[in-house]
């Protein structure tokens, strides 16, 4: 009964739901849509409009009302995928699968048997989720070597497909999701679409003189950077990431998206190739909070194949539009005010706090005293589980196998040396060290105890009446790749996960919501952390915040210069979102 | 052993039952030299044994041996411990392998309820304390038939602990003295089985079968010797013993080997060894030289296993979601020690017979079914079941359920015997006929083979008379007082009746006639 509101007192008794009227389209969200140039079957629908810049919810309404067909939408997204190939967002584009799914979806719409909000919606999936019949690489030579094709779908993938979603492809990541930049995978780094946005380019022109534009592209953050870039560049309407220490929220913040890490146990991990089983959660990347709620509603619930998922039934997610925040209590953890935090993020953070306060919410400083131990504790627990989880990649059954065959042991060693990158091997070595009999008590057990203390910090704060915590998601906006690679993966991960990874340690739901653009014209997101299994309440508050801040839509006209003529600044008056 | 490894899988489910007991067998004798060597050796938790037993021998420096057993027993269940794939004996290799069993990335273990219930029931039967909360751990090692690189087991907090098993054995001249001993059970744990390696030396290949639903029992024995009063010796572990007979042989051999080694100034290495049943000796396992660090870690994909009893059962709990220890206790069948006691009480059976009756699957039920339908004495029935029936079964290597003689047939046969319709030797003949299983009843066989005892007193007297007439010398011997001579006459009369007369009746008639 995790969603029984009586247990989640956050919004108990004071949720004000608007009169059932649908979400109002933010004005800023409509400046990107263009005409379909492919004539419809009757040859007369030249003006069919598709709204690639729009939200999932909006495009879903358009599909239902017949303003666009799933096939048209799919083809549009495929063409954007091709145009944005240089972003390196996708490892595999499953064009044929997507078109086939679109065809089937179209048949359903024609018969009036749509499967729901996701029917016909293009989505992308991080390449560490198993997809039946579609190669799954984890951006590692280990699986890519022989082309590992899973014989089954991850539960979350299956649930999306069961709802009629179109799988556009598998997105890029750091090898086995180990990293915070999406720069350390075997397929190369992912480029942040904002590097090519009008907003960023204009600011750069003002500042820099004649820097080489192309060498200064920005990282997406990671490790779900491919999924973030895919949604941000309009190649799909939602994407699955995974979140172990911030891997969904971090790239969401850098790419101007909503990045949701649900409560641990709310969404099945079956089929997600694990990083840290006790912290991994499938993440959701979308353009707005409502979209994240729609996807979460589809994914959430018990899975008999994952014993760590909740047993209780989950009700469908419908986010009320909060109009009154006066009874909310927002906690600001003082430990999150670190010297490394950029002044811009810091000021936006306090601006957000002020916004809540000015609307009548109670905003208080709270303490999470064990925060500073979180990173080192995470390091021990993460590497230990990594050492264990990676043991199955031995070259025998699937994936890469070396040519050495003098002995099984020699074959294991060479296979693993060739198959894993330095980051993965480094974590395996550390983890095995921590798990040695002589070290287990001093490292692993201690780290588990610290983890408990960190989780208890949150319990204490929430028990004191705080409904939700408001924190930064990242230290700063996205940095150029050339800057990013100056430090090694471990240092960067430690820095970049600082605000996000405690929520994983405690299993709490957390969402990054884009707030504003930095002086450089780049997105900055803030994070809300909620009580365990109060994901709906968390998203309700996030939705209110989203509506207040009116974050601008990325302007990618230059990126898509060859189709700039079809970009129109015209509102889609014909699409009604009432259902 | 490089290379093409067929690796499909099904780590099966089994629990390791670590029980600890003393052992005192030690005699002299040089171990045979062993040359063959085996590969494989997946190791497991070695138990430190606690009990020592000693039996000093004259003229010898005293040695005491300590033995701890780790018993792997397969749970009789329809599907595997952590996956939905089925369990079948002798299924084709790798035919019962789920994605989880094959350790495909992203798959997760799901605990099988039936296996948990079986473990609880075993724990109760072995007087264990059932842990209401138990945990699963990963035990890591690299081996080709361990596809995940770790085995899920219960190292830190197993499902049942601190039990005991009282067992008896017969000693003394006639094996009539029953001695009770207690083996302590340290823990019972649910454990995933690894796959099975099949080494093809000719082609230098190792083939892997991940079904792993075979071998009902596998025992690892930890053995050490020491002088009483001194610290325990270094132990060796003899792995993968698959029968009680080999287990006993391996332990005997290993104790003696260690004693010889130490007496010759050698030292015992802490190593794993295998037992060569052909040569009757233990040999070191090649790939187990160094001490393994299994890097145990909690299994993060399985929440703690919580068990309840009637008191702690949460109100309104879904019976499908919880396991109630008290309910399992109610379902516990009568334990063998109780059954044996009852047999002794009810039928005046010798304790050693009660053991035999229970040790053979189905034999007790057979016995009881015979008892239901016969008027014969329990002692008679016991003797026929344990000697005749079991003898025939053993000779042809058959299970009780495969016996061609049904309990009803045996009961009818014993009734004939009981009312002296046939002689004992005729009864044996009838049994042999029944064993041939030609669909005839004992009565039919008796009638066809004319095996019924001669009931005609007059005819019998005539026969006796004729025999006496024909053997005057023997009659003379009797009359001279040779007591054995009458037996000869009895034998001759029986022969004349084609063994169909009761010897006691013959004896009576002869005595009467001789006395007259």
């Amino acid at each position: 009964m995790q969603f029984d509101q009586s247990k989640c007192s956050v919004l108990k008794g004071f949720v004000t739901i608007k009169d059932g009227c649908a979400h109002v389209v933010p004005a800023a969200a409509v400046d990107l849509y263009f005409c379909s140039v492919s004539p419809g079957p009757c040859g007369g629908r030249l003006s069919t409009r598709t709204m690639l810049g729009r939200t999932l919810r909006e495009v879903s309404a358009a599909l239902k009302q017949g303003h666009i067909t799933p096939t048209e939408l799919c083809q549009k997204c495929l063409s954007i995928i091709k145009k944005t190939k240089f972003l390196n967002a996708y490892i595999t584009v499953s064009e044929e699968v997507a078109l086939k799914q679109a065809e089937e979806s179209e048949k359903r719409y024609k018969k009036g048997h749509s499967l729901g909000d996701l029917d016909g919606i293009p989505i992308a999936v991080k390449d560490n989720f198993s997809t039946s019949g579609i190669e799954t690489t984890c951006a590692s030579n280990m699986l890519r070597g022989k082309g590992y094709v899973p014989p089954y779908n991850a539960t979350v993938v299956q649930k999306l497909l069961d709802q009629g979603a179109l799988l556009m492809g598998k997105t890029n990541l750091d090898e086995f999701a180990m990293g915070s930049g999406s720069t350390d995978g075997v397929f190369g780094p992912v480029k942040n679409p904002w590097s090519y946005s009008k907003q960023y380019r204009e600011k750069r022109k003002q500042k820099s003189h004649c820097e080489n534009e192309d060498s200064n592209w920005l990282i997406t953050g990671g490790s779900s950077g491919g999924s973030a870039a895919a949604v941000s560049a309009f190649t799909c309407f939602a994407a699955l990431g995974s979140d172990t220490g911030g891997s969904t929220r971090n790239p969401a913040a850098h790419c101007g998206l909503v990045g949701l890490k649900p409560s641990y146990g709310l969404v099945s991990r079956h089929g997600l190739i694990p990083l840290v089983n006790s912290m991994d959660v499938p993440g959701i990347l979308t353009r707005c909070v409502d979209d994240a709620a729609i996807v979460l509603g589809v994914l959430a619930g018990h899975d008999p194949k994952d014993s760590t998922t909740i047993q209780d039934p989950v009700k469908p997610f419908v986010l009320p539009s909060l109009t009154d925040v006066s009874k909310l209590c927002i906690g600001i953890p003082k430990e999150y005010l670190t010297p490394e935090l950029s002044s811009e993020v810091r000021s936006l953070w306090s601006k957000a706090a002020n916004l809540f306060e000015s609307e009548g919410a109670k905003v208080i400083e709270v303490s999470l005293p064990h925060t500073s131990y979180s990173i080192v504790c995470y390091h021990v627990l993460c590497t230990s589980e990594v050492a264990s989880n990676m043991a199955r990649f031995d070259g025998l059954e699937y994936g890469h196998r070396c040519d050495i065959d003098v002995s099984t042991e020699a074959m294991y060693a060479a296979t693993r040396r060739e198959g894993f990158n330095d980051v993965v091997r480094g974590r395996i070595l550390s983890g095995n060290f921590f798990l040695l009999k002589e070290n287990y008590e001093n490292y692993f057990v201690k780290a588990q105890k610290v983890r408990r203390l960190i989780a208890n910090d949150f319990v204490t704060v929430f028990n004191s009446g705080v409904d939700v915590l408001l924190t930064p998601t990242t230290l700063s906006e996205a940095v150029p790749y050339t800057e990013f690679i100056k430090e090694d993966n471990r240092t960067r991960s430690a820095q970049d996960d600082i605000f996000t990874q405690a929520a994983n340690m405690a299993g709490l739901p957390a969402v990054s919501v884009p707030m504003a653009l930095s002086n450089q014209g780049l997105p900055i997101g803030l994070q809300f952390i909620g009580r365990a299994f109060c994901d709906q309440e968390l998203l309700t508050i996030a939705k209110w915040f989203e509506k207040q801040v009116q974050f601008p839509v990325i302007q990618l006209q230059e990126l898509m210069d060859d189709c700039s003529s079809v970009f129109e600044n015209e509102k889609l008056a014909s699409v009604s979102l009432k259902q | 052993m490089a290379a093409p490894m067929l690796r499909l899988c099904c780590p099966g489910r089994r629990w390791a039952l670590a029980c600890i007991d003393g052992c005192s067998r030690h005699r002299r004798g040089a171990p045979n030299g062993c040359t063959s060597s085996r590969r494989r050796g997946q190791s497991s938790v070695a138990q430190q044994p606690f009990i020592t037993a000693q039996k000093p021998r004259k003229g010898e420096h005293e040695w005491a041996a300590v033995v701890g057993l780790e018993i792997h027993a397969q749970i009789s269940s329809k599907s595997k411990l952590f996956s939905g794939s089925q369990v079948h004996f002798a299924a084709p290799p790798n035919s019962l392998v789920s994605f989880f069993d094959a350790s495909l990335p992203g798959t997760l273990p799901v605990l099988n309820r039936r296996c948990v219930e079986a473990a609880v029931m075993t724990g109760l039967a072995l007087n264990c304390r059932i842990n209401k909360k138990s945990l699963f751990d990963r035990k890591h090692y690299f081996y080709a038939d361990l596809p995940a690189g770790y085995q899920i087991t219960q190292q830190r907090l197993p499902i049942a602990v601190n039990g005991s098993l009282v067992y008896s054995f017969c000693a003394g001249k006639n094996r009539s003295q029953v001695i009770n001993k207690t083996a302590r059970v340290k823990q019972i744990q649910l454990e995933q089985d690894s796959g099975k390696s099949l080494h093809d030396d000719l082609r230098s290949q190792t083939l892997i079968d991940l079904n792993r639903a075979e071998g009902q029992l596998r025992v690892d024995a930890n053995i050490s010797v020491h002088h009483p009063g001194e610290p325990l010796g270094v132990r060796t572990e003899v792995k993968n013993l698959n029968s009680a007979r080999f287990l006993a042989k391996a332990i005997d051999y290993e104790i003696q080997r260690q004693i010889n080694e130490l007496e010759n100034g050698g030292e015992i290495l802490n190593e794993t060894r295998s037992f060569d049943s052909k040569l009757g000796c233990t040999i070191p396992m090649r790939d187990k030289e160094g001490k393994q660090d299994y890097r145990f870690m909690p299994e993060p994909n399985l929440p703690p296993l919580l068990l309840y009893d009637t008191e702690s059962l949460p109100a309104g709990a879904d019976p499908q979601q919880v396991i109630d220890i008290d309910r399992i206790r109610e379902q516990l069948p009568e334990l063998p020690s109780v059954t044996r006691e009852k047999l002794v009480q009810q039928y005046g059976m010798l304790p050693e017979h009660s053991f035999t009756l229970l040790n053979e699957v189905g034999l007790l039920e057979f016995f009881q079914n015979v008892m239901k339908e016969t008027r014969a004495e329990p002692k008679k029935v016991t003797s026929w079941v344990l000697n005749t029936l079991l003898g025939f079964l053993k000779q042809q290597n058959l299970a009780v359920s495969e016996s061609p003689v049904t309990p009803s047939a045996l009961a009818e046969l014993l009734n004939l015997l009981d009312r002296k319709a046939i002689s004992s030797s005729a009864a044996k003949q009838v049994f042999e006929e029944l064993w041939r299983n030609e669909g005839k009843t004992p009565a039919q066989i008796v009638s066809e083979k004319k095996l019924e005892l001669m009931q005609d007193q007059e005819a019998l007297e005539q026969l006796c008379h004729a025999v006496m007439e024909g053997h005057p010398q023997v009659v003379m011997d009797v009359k001279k007082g040779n007591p054995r001579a009458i037996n000869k006459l009895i034998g001759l009369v029986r022969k004349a009746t084609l063994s169909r007369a009761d010897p006691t009746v013959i004896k009576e008639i002869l005595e009467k006639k001789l006395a007259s």
Side-chain angles (χ1 to χ4, degrees):
Chain A
M1 301 309 295
Q2 309 301 337
F3 296 94
D4 183 344
Q5 290 208 341
S6 64
K7 281 195 183 165
C8 297
S9 62
V10 188
L11 299 167
K12 190 181 169 188
F14 57 82
V15 175
T16 320
I17 300 171
K18 276 194 179 171
D19 56 358
C21 218
H23 178 68
V24 177
V25 186
V30 290
D31 62 358
L32 188 97
Y33 71 90
F34 48 83
C35 295
S36 162
V37 286
S38 59
C42 315
R45 296 178 62 224
L46 282 168
S47 63
T48 300
R49 288 194 167 102
T50 166
M51 311 127 284
L52 293 180
R54 289 183 168 263
T55 66
L56 188 159
R57 198 183 144 96
E58 289 158 5
V59 86
S60 181
L63 281 168
K64 282 171 193 162
Q65 289 159 31
H67 295 288
I68 186 168
T69 70
T71 305
E72 287 165 344
L73 192 57
C74 184
Q75 280 165 343
K76 274 296 144 203
C77 287
L78 285 168
S79 85
I80 303 278
I81 289 173
K82 279 166 199 156
K83 282 182 189 113
T84 59
K85 196 166 185 293
F86 66 96
L87 292 176
N88 208 10
Y90 286 82
I91 290 173
T92 304
V93 179
S94 46
E95 182 168 352
E96 278 180 32
V97 172
L99 285 169
K100 182 97 205 307
Q101 288 165 338
E103 204 179 297
E104 282 161 18
S105 171
E106 197 152 330
K107 280 182 202 157
R108 288 191 294 268
Y109 274 109
K110 273 185 186 153
K111 284 184 194 160
H113 296 152
S114 141
L115 295 171
D117 288 341
L118 290 186
D119 203 344
I121 302 287
I123 53 131
V125 172
K126 191 178 181 179
D127 205 20
N128 59 351
F129 286 94
S130 304
T131 42
S132 180
I134 300 173
E135 189 176 357
T136 298
T137 69
C138 287
S140 173
N141 274 328
M142 187 54 93
L143 286 177
R144 179 204 186 191
K146 269 202 207 154
Y148 171 65
V149 178
Y152 73 102
N153 277 325
T155 298
V156 285
V157 172
Q158 191 61 51
K159 283 187 167 184
L160 291 174
L161 297 181
D162 288 348
Q163 292 293 311
L166 317 180
L167 178 58
M168 308 309 289
K170 304 295 292 291
T171 58
N172 205 348
L173 65 156
D174 290 299
E175 182 161 334
F176 282 102
M178 296 182 206
S180 59
S182 301
T183 53
D184 284 332
V186 73
F187 298 97
V190 184
K191 295 179 178 176
N192 192 328
W194 283 85
S195 318
Y196 309 94
S197 69
K198 193 177 165 193
Q199 291 104 321
Y200 177 61
R201 296 252 158 160
E202 277 175 1
K203 297 279 182 184
R204 283 187 63 77
K205 270 179 209 155
Q206 292 162 16
K207 283 181 191 169
S208 60
H209 313 291
C210 54
E211 266 184 70
N212 184 349
E213 293 277 336
D214 284 339
S215 69
N216 261 295
W217 54 270
L218 310 156
I219 58 139
T220 52
S223 63
S224 312
S227 288
V231 178
S232 177
F234 308 121
T235 68
C236 61
F237 291 85
L240 292 183
S242 62
D243 195 312
T244 311
S247 280
T248 293
R249 288 160 286 160
N250 175 290
H254 286 328
C255 294
L257 300 172
V258 171
L260 171 66
K261 171 221 170 297
S263 297
Y264 184 85
L266 182 60
V267 178
S268 170
R269 292 178 294 113
H270 174 253
L272 166 61
I273 299 179
L275 175 57
V276 184
N277 299 287
S278 65
M279 300 187 206
D280 290 344
V281 183
I284 298 164
L285 292 130
T286 53
R287 291 188 197 122
C288 71
V289 176
D290 265 328
D291 289 357
I294 289 171
V295 178
L296 181 62
V298 167
L299 302 184
H302 179 66
D303 179 7
K305 291 174 183 151
D306 178 357
S307 308
T308 63
T309 49
I310 48 153
Q311 296 282 346
D312 306 310
V314 174
K315 290 180 206 154
F317 284 81
V318 181
L319 295 187
S321 291
L322 206 57
T323 51
D324 176 13
V325 293
S326 67
K327 291 194 180 89
L328 280 184
C329 179
I330 310 289
I332 309 290
K334 64 178 182 190
E335 289 80 6
Y336 283 48
L337 192 61
T338 65
E340 296 83 17
L341 187 61
S342 78
S343 57
E344 242 180 319
V345 175
R346 190 180 160 169
S347 80
L348 278 175
W349 184 19
S350 69
K351 207 172 151 189
N354 290 337
L355 170 65
F356 275 99
E357 205 163 31
S358 67
E359 293 294 320
K362 188 174 157 196
V363 179
I364 59 167
E365 183 184 276
V366 296
S367 175
L368 299 165
H370 298 93
T371 299
S372 61
Y373 307 109
S374 192
I375 287 287
V376 63
C377 167
Y378 175 81
H379 179 71
V380 173
L381 296 176
C382 170
T383 58
S384 298
E385 280 199 39
V386 163
S388 177
N389 287 332
M390 296 294 140
R392 71 187 59 211
F393 299 103
D394 56 14
L396 283 177
E397 227 179 321
Y398 37 76
H400 177 71
R401 187 194 291 184
C402 71
D403 296 328
I404 294 165
D405 63 356
V406 289
S407 74
T408 309
E409 287 74 18
M411 193 272 284
Y412 286 156
T415 295
R416 290 163 67 79
R417 186 178 60 244
E418 293 166 12
F420 294 135
N421 71 5
D422 288 351
V423 176
V424 178
R425 285 209 308 279
R427 290 202 195 182
I428 291 172
L429 284 172
S430 313
N432 277 320
F433 175 82
F434 297 135
L435 289 177
L436 285 176
K437 206 172 178 185
E438 68 208 72
N439 297 330
Y440 185 75
E441 285 289 324
N442 279 337
Y443 292 94
F444 191 84
V445 173
K446 270 192 189 160
Q448 277 189 312
K449 286 177 181 170
V450 174
R451 180 178 183 178
R452 171 65 61 197
L453 293 173
I454 290 166
N456 286 347
D457 281 352
F458 285 103
V459 172
T460 308
V461 163
F462 287 127
N463 282 349
S464 75
V466 168
D467 295 308
V468 77
L469 294 169
L470 173 63
T471 80
T473 310
T474 55
L475 289 167
S476 67
E477 75 273 71
V479 296
Y481 177 71
T482 47
E483 279 296 311
F484 189 76
I485 57 169
K486 282 177 184 164
E487 302 224 58
D488 67 62
N489 178 293
R490 203 194 136 190
T491 313
R492 291 186 325 244
S493 298
Q495 285 170 355
D496 296 341
D497 288 348
I498 183 162
F499 301 125
T500 46
Q501 146 280 104
N504 297 81
M505 301 271 251
L508 304 174
V511 60
S512 179
V513 182
M515 183 178 178
L517 294 182
S518 69
N519 291 335
Q520 287 201 81
L522 292 174
I524 289 175
L526 291 183
Q527 174 180 238
F528 294 93
I529 304 173
R531 296 164 195 254
F533 295 108
C534 293
D535 301 55
Q536 189 175 5
E537 289 66 24
L538 174 76
L539 290 176
T540 305
I541 295 167
K543 181 177 167 180
W544 178 87
F545 179 73
E546 176 188 58
K547 198 182 163 203
Q548 308 303 309
V549 296
Q550 294 288 312
F551 180 76
V553 163
I554 184 170
Q555 296 182 334
L556 285 179
Q557 285 90 340
E558 287 178 47
L559 174 64
M560 323 231 180
D561 48 0
D562 60 339
C563 53
S564 57
S565 57
V566 293
F567 282 78
E568 288 175 43
N569 280 318
E570 183 188 318
K571 291 199 181 183
L572 265 172
S574 60
V575 175
S576 154
L577 288 166
K578 280 181 191 165
Q579 289 165 26
Chain B
M1 68 183 144
M5 308 228 186
L6 201 63
R7 221 178 201 254
L8 316 187
C9 81
C10 292
R13 65 275 165 289
R14 22 186 79 205
W15 72 75
L17 171 79
C19 91
I20 293 151
D21 189 30
C23 177
S24 63
R25 286 167 282 198
H26 46 99
R27 27 188 142 76
R28 285 216 165 266
N32 304 322
C34 298
T35 47
S36 86
S37 100
R38 284 190 180 173
R39 289 165 177 177
R40 178 57 228 245
Q42 160 215 334
S43 79
S44 44
V45 197
Q47 303 300 333
Q48 263 311 335
F50 301 117
I51 301 179
T52 66
Q54 59 204 52
K55 193 203 247 170
R57 283 202 163 208
K58 253 187 193 173
E60 271 184 40
H61 197 16
E62 270 177 37
W63 287 102
V66 183
V67 177
L69 302 181
E70 184 179 316
I71 301 166
H72 301 253
Q74 190 183 318
I75 299 172
S76 157
S77 63
K78 287 192 192 114
S79 59
K80 293 183 167 65
L81 179 55
F82 294 123
S83 80
S85 48
Q86 294 201 324
V87 177
H88 278 308
F89 183 73
N94 297 308
S95 60
L96 305 171
V97 181
S98 71
F99 298 146
F100 172 79
D101 302 324
S103 295
L104 292 194
T107 53
L108 302 168
V110 178
L111 189 57
N112 180 336
R113 180 189 174 90
R114 156 75 192 138
C115 294
V116 175
E117 289 172 342
V120 170
M121 196 175 262
T122 309
L124 293 171
L126 291 171
N127 300 305
C128 289
R129 195 185 82 218
I130 308 296
N131 282 324
K132 287 192 187 152
K133 177 184 172 184
S134 62
L135 303 172
F136 290 91
D137 303 281
R138 290 181 180 181
K139 172 181 172 177
H140 300 88
Y141 60 90
F142 281 106
Y143 203 82
D145 58 21
L146 188 73
Y150 58 82
Q151 177 186 31
I152 304 176
T153 181
Q154 294 198 293
Q155 195 236 356
R156 290 167 299 164
L157 195 52
I159 192 161
V161 292
N162 296 338
S164 64
L165 172 67
V166 178
Y167 63 98
S168 316
F169 62 94
C170 303
K173 269 189 184 164
N174 306 322
R175 295 178 44 80
S176 58
Q177 189 191 354
V178 176
I179 295 172
N180 283 330
K181 285 227 162 198
T182 304
R184 286 184 289 160
V185 178
K186 191 185 172 200
Q187 65 188 60
I188 295 175
Q189 64 199 58
L190 283 161
E191 186 173 288
Q192 179 188 29
D193 202 3
S194 63
K196 187 172 139 194
S197 293
L198 301 158
H199 302 290
D200 179 349
D201 290 339
L202 276 181
R203 268 169 277 188
S204 179
Q205 287 183 348
T206 299
L207 304 171
I208 309 292
D209 180 6
L210 294 171
N211 281 359
R212 211 39 171 151
E214 60 198 276
Q216 302 289 315
L217 185 81
R218 203 177 72 234
V219 182
D220 303 332
N222 283 267
I223 301 152
S224 71
V225 298
H226 66 287
H227 294 303
E230 291 178 13
L232 297 183
V234 174
R235 67 184 162 80
T236 60
E237 185 180 15
V238 184
K239 297 197 73 78
N240 296 329
L241 297 159
N242 56 17
S243 79
R245 203 160 59 93
F246 289 160
L247 174 65
K249 277 190 174 179
I251 292 170
D252 282 347
Y253 175 88
E254 186 58 19
I255 290 170
Q256 200 54 56
R257 184 192 70 84
Q258 292 189 9
I259 292 172
N260 292 345
E261 190 74 38
L262 293 169
E263 288 190 344
N264 291 327
E267 63 173 338
I268 303 300
L269 301 174
N270 179 205
E271 63 184 356
T272 53
R273 301 175 71 87
S274 62
F275 180 67
D276 187 316
S277 54
K278 280 182 198 145
L279 297 170
C281 65
T282 67
I283 38 192
M285 290 175 120
R286 209 169 61 188
D287 53 0
K288 282 284 158 183
E289 282 154 27
K291 245 192 166 178
Q292 286 244 27
D293 189 324
Y294 292 120
R295 292 157 288 132
F296 282 101
M297 170 189 113
E299 167 55 66
N301 295 318
L302 288 170
L305 170 57
L306 300 180
L307 306 174
Y308 300 89
D309 55 21
T310 315
E311 269 180 36
S312 62
L313 201 66
D318 177 0
Q320 288 307 307
Q321 295 292 337
V322 295
I323 288 177
D324 180 350
I325 300 168
D326 290 328
R327 250 194 66 214
I328 296 175
R329 198 190 307 275
E330 285 163 18
Q331 293 163 2
L332 201 63
E334 184 175 273
L335 294 177
S337 58
V338 178
T339 313
R340 284 193 293 262
E341 184 62 29
K342 278 188 182 169
L343 288 172
V344 171
Q345 294 290 328
Q346 193 178 343
Y347 302 119
M349 194 180 287
L350 291 173
E352 63 259 39
H353 289 164
S354 72
F355 275 101
T356 319
L357 221 43
L358 260 77
N359 286 352
E360 209 65 43
V361 177
L363 198 59
L364 174 68
E365 201 190 349
F366 194 103
F367 169 82
Q368 286 168 332
N369 286 337
V370 177
M371 283 303 295
K372 273 183 214 158
E373 298 184 35
T374 186
R375 291 184 298 271
E377 289 292 308
K379 254 187 192 164
K380 200 74 165 175
V381 178
T382 309
S383 161
W384 273 83
V385 168
L386 292 187
N387 299 326
T388 315
L389 174 72
L390 197 55
F392 272 72
L393 289 170
K394 293 268 176 203
Q395 204 182 3
Q396 300 198 13
N397 207 13
L398 294 178
V400 176
S401 59
E402 294 167 314
S403 166
V405 180
T406 62
S408 306
L410 182 58
E412 190 189 335
L413 172 61
L414 294 180
N415 282 344
L416 291 172
L417 189 64
D418 187 61
R419 62 176 159 86
K420 302 210 157 102
I422 52 171
S423 68
S424 294
S425 57
K428 289 266 154 62
Q429 241 179 295
V430 175
F431 188 88
E432 278 168 35
E433 286 296 321
L434 284 173
W435 191 264
R436 274 185 218 129
N437 199 15
E438 284 162 348
K440 289 171 187 161
T441 65
Q444 282 171 327
I445 294 166
V446 167
S447 142
E448 276 174 28
K449 302 257 165 187
K450 300 198 187 334
L451 293 171
E452 66 274 1
L453 278 177
M454 279 183 71
Q455 305 288 2
D456 187 342
Q457 186 79 9
E458 212 167 298
L460 203 53
E461 281 185 13
Q462 278 173 14
L463 270 175
C464 287
H465 186 76
V467 167
M468 283 169 70
E469 292 277 283
H471 299 85
Q473 191 57 46
V474 185
V475 174
M476 282 300 286
D477 288 350
V478 178
K479 291 193 170 168
K480 275 183 196 161
N482 183 347
R484 281 188 201 155
I486 194 163
N487 291 342
K488 183 151 191 199
L489 288 175
I490 295 171
L492 288 165
V493 176
R494 283 197 70 203
K495 209 174 172 185
T497 64
L498 302 166
S499 298
R500 285 158 52 203
D502 186 341
T504 52
V505 179
I506 298 172
K507 196 180 177 191
E508 269 171 37
I509 297 170
L510 284 172
E511 277 170 350
K512 212 165 71 188
K513 285 190 183 288
L514 288 163
S516 62

